Amino acid sequence: IFKRKDLPDRLSEPLVVGELYIDFARRQVFIANKPVELTRIEYDLLYHLVINKGQVLTHKQLLEKVWGPDYAGETHYLWVNISRLRKKLESRQPGMQFIHTQQGIGYYFDA
């Protein structure tokens, strides 16, 4: 996965999309100024999706980046954690979808 230069990294300014606020330096996520408690896996998934905003990341790419190369075929781990991440983000901002599915391929971040 290649990081695009126009998107933030862990050391840059926070990302703000509507009510979503991500502070990469502190690994913190807020919606409507309220903290969203994410596990390490959930945060890492969100991080990789955000820094590749608009680009579809395959199941394999996400699994390798977040869990490691030994997990490249474990799509169930990915599905469960994407579902949890969506619930945590989207339940706090009804009508807003951050994580989109490219059926049979992977996921992408766009809001």
Side-chain angles (χ1 to χ4, degrees):
I1 301 171
F2 297 100
K3 186 172 66 166
R4 291 179 18 196
K5 293 182 181 188
D6 61 330
L7 294 171
D9 61 23
R10 292 177 197 252
L11 303 176
S12 69
E13 294 296 316
L15 174 76
V16 179
V17 178
E19 295 288 320
L20 176 65
Y21 177 92
I22 303 172
D23 184 337
F24 294 99
R26 292 185 177 92
R27 293 180 61 97
Q28 294 177 329
V29 178
F30 298 87
I31 293 184
N33 296 319
K34 295 179 182 170
V36 179
E37 298 297 324
L38 299 180
T39 65
R40 182 194 63 81
I41 295 290
E42 292 163 348
Y43 178 86
D44 288 351
L45 281 170
L46 180 61
Y47 172 79
H48 286 290
L49 289 166
V50 167
I51 65 167
N52 292 282
K53 183 179 178 183
Q55 176 183 342
V56 176
L57 299 179
T58 67
H59 298 132
K60 182 179 177 184
Q61 287 174 315
L62 286 167
L63 285 162
E64 287 179 353
K65 284 293 182 187
V66 175
W67 282 273
D70 294 340
Y71 292 85
E74 302 294 337
T75 54
H76 184 264
Y77 291 159
L78 183 59
W79 297 336
V80 167
N81 283 279
I82 287 287
S83 177
R84 289 179 184 158
L85 181 57
R86 280 179 166 155
K87 285 179 186 172
K88 289 180 179 183
L89 296 179
E90 295 167 6
S91 68
R92 295 187 179 201
Q93 193 160 357
M96 187 64 128
Q97 184 176 5
F98 299 106
I99 300 169
H100 302 268
T101 303
Q102 185 70 40
Q103 197 66 30
I105 298 172
Y107 301 95
Y108 64 98
F109 180 90
D110 194 20

